[in-house]
Amino acid sequence: MKKIISYILLVVTMITYMPYSVLAQTTDVGVNIVGDISIEVVTTISADITLDLTTGERTPAYMTMENKSFVPVSAKITDISTTSEGAPSTFVGANDKDWDSLSKSETSTYVNFNILGSGQNVVAQDILADTEVDLGVLNSGLNIGGFACGENTPCYIPTDSNEKIFKIDARFGGNWAAGDKNFTYQITTVYAQADSYEQEEKTFTNDNIYGIGIDVVNSIDDGEVVLNDPTKDYLNLKVTVKGADKEINEFVNSSTISVMVNYKLSTYTDKLVFFGADTEIASYAMPYSIDALNDDENPHYLTIVVTIDDQAYTYIARVYV
């Protein structure tokens, strides 16, 4: 009985001499969120759409949307119309008419507008009157784009961007009276605060591939690979893989890859350019050659379609030479 009492007294003594630092107190911190969300998106069109009746060639326009807001913004086309006298104003789908066989009356009546964006296995969407076309989400102007993707998160590079470029094309009949025609069409685009940032789910045929990126350069010189032909420009198909040479070689040897630039087949230069690596991934470029772009101040717009096995990845690029 005495031993138990002395033990209890010892514990009480220890607690008595504990320092003040173990005492806790709470401090309130106030947070005030002020101001209103403002949506600021700049939309620009590259040039007029042109149909050359002599050659049958069409020149598309390109629409660039840039989100300068601090929040993600959803974009939709909601309507199309014209106020031009004599302009075809019955909007139909691209496949609704045999455009090469329209009569004079049908030519002056029917027209199709369609829009194509970047992504995996994308197709052009028809722009119709009083009909919504979802153009996706423009990320915040504060969002800084990343390059590497997580181990279980394949992505299409560039992903986190506050700018998107779309190709806008139009289909008309060709049975016109003589003389040039100049029509103006108005496309209504609506922007609103999005619920979340855009997350593009991309699936690659090779489990080791984490990203695909594209850029256009007029020469390549990384110390080992030198490509500099004044009659050519080079399209770099950048592939991000896990590990080093083994994975990229497996990818190159086991995959069927084709690259179309403005619907013309591009030529692989049989060179593999190493761009860099960290502890988990490595980035390589597979250069393809294209005819040299005109050297002027205006941007060139390229519709690049990369097909890897059965999957197509479309990227619309604006290139300054």
Side-chain angles (χ1 to χ4, degrees):
M1 187 67 178
K2 290 182 179 180
K3 290 182 179 180
I4 296 176
I5 294 174
S6 62
Y7 174 74
I8 295 174
L9 289 174
L10 177 61
V11 175
V12 172
T13 303
M14 290 179 63
I15 295 175
T16 304
Y17 288 99
M18 290 183 73
Y20 281 25
S21 58
V22 302
L23 299 176
Q25 72 179 48
T26 59
T27 302
D28 294 332
V29 178
V31 176
N32 295 317
I33 299 176
V34 299
D36 295 320
I37 294 295
S38 61
I39 301 299
E40 182 183 0
V41 178
V42 177
T43 304
T44 56
I45 298 292
S46 62
D48 292 340
I49 297 172
T50 301
L51 170 61
D52 189 329
L53 296 179
T54 304
T55 63
E57 294 182 353
R58 297 194 313 275
T59 302
Y62 293 86
M63 181 174 73
T64 301
M65 300 186 306
E66 182 182 2
N67 179 16
K68 294 189 174 182
S69 313
F70 294 151
V71 295
V73 172
S74 64
K76 292 181 180 180
I77 290 175
T78 59
D79 198 8
I80 185 170
S81 61
T82 182
T83 56
S84 296
E85 184 177 352
S89 56
T90 300
F91 300 95
V92 296
N95 298 321
D96 290 348
K97 300 293 178 182
D98 182 358
W99 299 99
D100 296 330
S101 303
L102 297 189
S103 66
K104 287 183 66 175
S105 174
E106 291 172 326
T107 293
S108 63
T109 301
Y110 298 109
V111 60
N112 166 259
F113 278 82
N114 56 82
I115 186 166
L116 177 70
S118 297
Q120 178 179 343
N121 296 326
V122 297
V123 295
Q125 300 181 80
D126 293 322
I127 303 175
L128 302 173
D130 297 319
T131 304
E132 286 192 355
V133 179
D134 187 359
L135 301 181
V137 174
L138 295 165
N139 286 339
S140 163
L142 294 179
N143 201 329
I144 299 175
F147 180 74
C149 301
E151 182 171 348
N152 297 314
T153 312
C155 67
Y156 178 88
I157 299 173
T159 51
D160 297 328
S161 173
N162 65 322
E163 181 182 85
K164 283 189 174 185
I165 301 176
F166 295 88
K167 184 177 78 170
I168 298 179
D169 207 349
R171 297 186 69 87
F172 290 84
N175 204 345
W176 293 98
D180 292 345
K181 308 293 185 293
N182 303 106
F183 302 135
T184 301
Y185 289 85
Q186 296 177 333
I187 295 175
T188 303
T189 310
V190 175
Y191 302 100
Q193 183 178 354
D195 291 335
S196 60
Y197 289 96
E198 180 183 44
Q199 295 186 1
E200 294 183 89
E201 295 295 333
K202 301 301 171 186
T203 305
F204 298 103
T205 54
N206 186 308
D207 292 338
N208 290 321
I209 302 174
Y210 291 154
I212 291 180
I214 298 167
D215 63 11
V216 179
V217 295
N218 53 25
S219 65
I220 297 174
D221 183 356
D222 73 338
E224 296 183 6
V225 177
V226 178
L227 298 172
N228 189 6
D229 181 345
T231 67
K232 300 292 183 183
D233 282 325
Y234 300 97
L235 175 74
N236 269 341
L237 171 60
K238 291 184 179 179
V239 180
T240 306
V241 299
K242 182 179 180 180
D245 295 341
K246 178 182 177 182
E247 283 75 13
I248 191 67
N249 287 330
E250 288 179 353
F251 165 70
V252 173
N253 294 329
S254 65
S255 300
T256 302
I257 305 171
S258 68
V259 177
M260 303 284 290
V261 180
N262 287 350
Y263 306 103
K264 295 181 180 179
L265 191 63
S266 188
T267 304
Y268 180 45
T269 62
D270 197 26
K271 303 288 184 181
L272 198 62
V273 182
F274 178 71
F275 267 75
D278 60 19
T279 57
E280 294 184 357
I281 64 169
S283 179
Y284 298 81
M286 303 168 62
Y288 287 75
S289 64
I290 60 176
D291 292 335
L293 303 172
N294 295 331
D295 187 6
D296 55 38
E297 296 180 355
N298 297 319
H300 296 267
Y301 289 88
L302 305 179
T303 302
I304 304 166
V305 180
V306 180
T307 303
I308 303 176
D309 295 335
D310 295 328
Q311 297 180 74
Y313 306 88
T314 301
Y315 179 55
I316 300 176
R318 180 182 56 218
V319 180
Y320 292 90
V321 179

